[in-house]
Amino acid sequence: MKVKLKTYAKINLTLNVGRPENGFHPIDSIVTTVDLYDIITASKRRDDEIRFTMRGLGEFDIKQADNNAYKAAAAFRERFGTGGFDLTVDKRIAIGGGLGGSSADVAGVLRALKKLFDVSEEVKPLADELGSDCGYLLVGGTARISGRGEKVEPAAKDLEGYAVIVYCDTGVSTKECYAAFDTLCGNSDKADNDLAMKAIESGDFDTLCKNVSNGLSDAAKSLNDEIGRNLAAVKELSPSAYAVTGSGSCVYALYESRELCDWAADKLRKADMDCEVVKFVPRYKNT
């Protein structure tokens, strides 16, 4: 038996960050998945080994022992006492981009192995142990996440629409970004997330856009000059909203239609900027 599935990236529409508590920064963020994905493939083995392969982005940059997808696989086998399996991650989500690629891989591995071994127990507790966004990305769609990211409040209605994602040549370390955040300001509460969630659920695009913000933006810009340049370039194209996602380095812009997103992406590409148009993805129907 073989299981093959897509695991999607996310963007942070809002991100409020508090002062550290017990070594972690509490967050309050509205997120949505987009149709940028890695592919997870898993099949059973006759022995107890895990044979792990990573292809695509980061193929030669991340040691197996440090790879969160491998850690998720090993944790799943230990928790549920399964046999061995072959596991492959075909990676397209940018590393160090603030798109939740590592967390998406953890979530995708847990979903794939849950199906492969017909495990009926919930895997969210395990996902939450492995990373801040992992539990949310088991389900995806539009949601408000808080605490360390383990508290997930799905929106009554998933956001529909498109965004333009703009890439930097280099990524940003999440750990370094939070350290820079502490140095620069130490607290961010810019977005009215109650209002933004109501706007999403009622289809009020303008009100949502007025609340788009990222408390880590200044910290991310201090670590990567490209981010500031990309934000400035996007601003010139009059988006409905624009921001850094996560701890960077990717920037995104929101427009009212796919046509405007395509227009903006064409302008950016003509300026030799790496970008793509993505569609918002609803939550998974079966997890």
Side-chain angles (χ1 to χ4, degrees):
M1 178 180 177
K2 178 184 288 186
V3 173
K4 186 175 183 178
L5 55 79
K6 297 175 181 178
T7 186
Y8 290 97
K10 58 80 183 171
I11 59 172
N12 296 80
L13 298 165
T14 70
L15 179 54
N16 295 336
V17 183
R19 296 184 183 278
E21 300 174 0
N22 300 317
F24 292 92
H25 292 78
I27 65 168
D28 186 3
S29 177
I30 296 176
V31 286
T32 191
T33 38
V34 297
D35 65 348
L36 174 62
Y37 56 84
D38 294 344
I39 297 175
I40 310 295
T41 306
S43 57
K44 292 181 180 178
R45 295 177 57 84
R46 294 184 178 181
D47 54 31
D48 292 330
E49 289 188 44
I50 299 174
R51 293 286 180 89
F52 178 76
T53 304
M54 183 172 175
R55 301 189 295 227
L57 295 176
E59 181 176 358
F60 303 107
D61 299 332
I62 303 175
K63 295 179 181 179
Q64 177 172 294
D66 298 327
N67 190 291
N68 285 338
Y70 176 79
K71 291 178 181 178
F76 184 95
R77 183 183 62 178
E78 181 178 356
R79 180 69 58 88
F80 298 106
T82 68
F85 46 87
D86 294 321
L87 182 67
T88 301
V89 177
D90 289 292
K91 188 152 194 67
R92 182 170 173 255
I93 302 172
I95 297 171
L99 296 167
S102 177
S103 296
D105 290 343
V106 168
V109 166
L110 295 180
R111 288 173 56 225
L113 295 178
K114 187 176 189 293
K115 184 174 182 180
L116 182 68
F117 290 100
D118 194 26
V119 170
S120 60
E121 295 177 52
E122 290 293 330
V123 294
K124 186 178 183 299
L126 182 56
D128 290 335
E129 292 173 16
L130 292 163
S132 297
D133 297 332
C134 300
Y136 153 65
L137 286 168
L138 284 172
V139 177
T142 307
R144 182 176 181 175
I145 59 175
S146 57
R148 290 171 54 185
E150 81 284 2
K151 299 175 184 176
V152 182
E153 177 191 345
K157 176 184 177 183
D158 284 316
L159 184 65
E160 297 180 356
Y162 300 85
V164 183
I165 292 178
V166 186
Y167 296 96
C168 290
D169 291 333
T170 56
V172 171
S173 160
T174 299
K175 182 178 180 180
E176 292 178 5
C177 190
Y178 275 101
F181 171 82
D182 289 337
T183 299
L184 289 172
C185 55
N187 191 65
S188 166
D189 192 19
K190 297 180 179 178
D192 184 335
N193 283 329
D194 290 333
L195 186 61
M197 281 290 277
K198 289 178 182 177
I200 289 169
E201 293 166 351
S202 66
D204 186 349
F205 183 70
D206 290 340
T207 298
L208 169 63
C209 288
K210 289 175 182 176
N211 279 279
V212 167
S213 67
N214 185 335
L216 293 177
S217 182
D218 288 342
K221 287 189 290 184
S222 75
L223 296 171
N224 188 328
D225 292 339
E226 287 182 272
I227 295 174
R229 290 198 295 270
N230 288 353
L231 285 169
V234 165
K235 183 180 180 181
E236 289 295 315
L237 299 176
S238 302
S240 298
Y242 65 102
V244 178
T245 181
S247 56
S249 60
C250 288
V251 169
Y252 67 89
L254 303 181
Y255 290 89
E256 292 181 354
S257 67
R258 173 67 194 246
E259 290 74 20
L260 285 172
C261 285
D262 288 336
W263 169 82
D266 181 63
K267 292 285 187 181
L268 293 165
R269 292 187 187 110
K270 287 178 179 177
D272 293 323
M273 301 179 72
D274 186 10
C275 66
E276 66 180 305
V277 176
V278 295
K279 183 179 180 179
F280 302 138
V281 174
R283 70 202 69 179
Y284 303 125
K285 293 182 179 179
N286 297 304
T287 59

